[in-house]
């Protein structure tokens, strides 16, 4: 990350968010970077998107750090209880 030419503010925010490589950045969402990497605003994200676009990359839209609300999962269970052995039948 340090060789990509980010400003000090964006670089420090990425390090705070545990992003040390391009791969670390691309698996994150905007929401995740905004909460874990402080001081990231519109200009900071514009800088990140510009650098990622130079490599043909971008941020993910739904990453491992985004959670699906319980209410959205319930239709898939079709009334089964979580302890039911035949939940997926």
């Amino acid at each position: 990350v340090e060789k990509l030419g980010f400003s000090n503010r964006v670089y420090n925010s990425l390090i705070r968010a545990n992003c040390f490589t391009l791969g670390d950045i691309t698996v994150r969402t905007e929401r995740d970077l905004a909460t874990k990497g402080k001081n990231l605003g519109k200009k900071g994200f514009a800088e990140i998107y510009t650098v990622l676009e130079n490599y043909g990359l971008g941020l993910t839209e739904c990453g491992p750090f985004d959670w699906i609300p319980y209410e959205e999962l319930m239709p898939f269970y079709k009334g089964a209880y979580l302890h039911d052995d035949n939940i997926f039948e």
Side-chain angles (χ1 to χ4, degrees):
V1 170
E2 62 188 54
K3 295 180 181 181
L4 296 174
F6 288 115
S7 65
N8 286 336
R9 179 178 291 229
V10 172
Y11 171 78
N12 289 332
S13 295
L14 290 171
I15 296 301
R16 261 188 241 110
N18 293 321
C19 293
F20 303 103
T21 66
L22 276 175
D24 293 338
I25 299 170
T26 59
V27 297
R28 304 297 177 107
T29 62
E30 242 184 60
R31 180 175 150 197
D32 185 46
L33 285 178
T35 55
K36 295 204 169 120
K38 298 174 183 173
N39 296 326
L40 278 177
K42 290 181 183 179
K43 289 182 183 179
F45 277 110
E47 190 175 325
I48 290 170
Y49 280 116
T50 300
V51 170
L52 291 178
E53 285 174 5
N54 289 339
Y55 290 92
L57 302 169
L59 295 177
T60 189
E61 292 187 18
C62 182
F65 304 102
D66 289 335
W67 299 100
I68 299 171
Y70 177 75
E71 295 80 23
E72 290 182 26
L73 289 175
M74 285 315 295
F76 297 107
Y77 290 118
K78 299 179 184 174
Y81 292 101
L82 293 177
H83 66 274
D84 189 353
D85 292 335
N86 299 318
I87 193 168
F88 295 109
E89 290 182 3

